[in-house]
Amino acid sequence: RQPGRKEPRYAHLLSGPQENREEGKAVSESAPRNAPMESEAVAKLEAEVKTLRQELEALKQALLDFKSQF
């Protein structure tokens, strides 16, 4: 039994034999393979956020210009 986790007692009955992996190993094994994709995704999201912020500032300015007409 592990604190905070469900017991895998019946998993084999529902989905066949289970691999006994420790969570720490699974994370450390998959991290190097996913690192380039994750950094690329983060860079893409940062660029999108930058673009959205610029558009928001343009909209704010357009609203202020519109309000000043009245």
Side-chain angles (χ1 to χ4, degrees):
R1 292 184 180 182
Q2 296 176 347
R5 299 192 63 182
K6 288 190 169 192
E7 292 182 50
R9 284 192 272 193
Y10 303 105
H12 69 285
L13 297 175
L14 301 172
S15 61
Q18 299 292 310
E19 290 184 27
N20 290 332
R21 284 188 153 191
E22 294 178 18
E23 190 172 326
K25 283 185 181 179
V27 171
S28 65
E29 289 174 2
S30 65
R33 286 183 269 151
N34 293 336
M37 285 192 337
E38 288 177 6
S39 64
E40 184 178 311
V42 168
K44 190 175 182 180
L45 289 171
E46 286 175 345
E48 186 175 355
V49 167
K50 183 178 179 182
T51 302
L52 290 172
R53 285 185 177 164
Q54 290 171 348
E55 289 178 11
L56 179 61
E57 287 302 317
L59 285 171
K60 284 181 181 179
Q61 187 60 44
L63 180 62
L64 288 174
D65 293 343
F66 180 74
K67 282 184 174 180
S68 67
Q69 294 176 0
F70 297 101

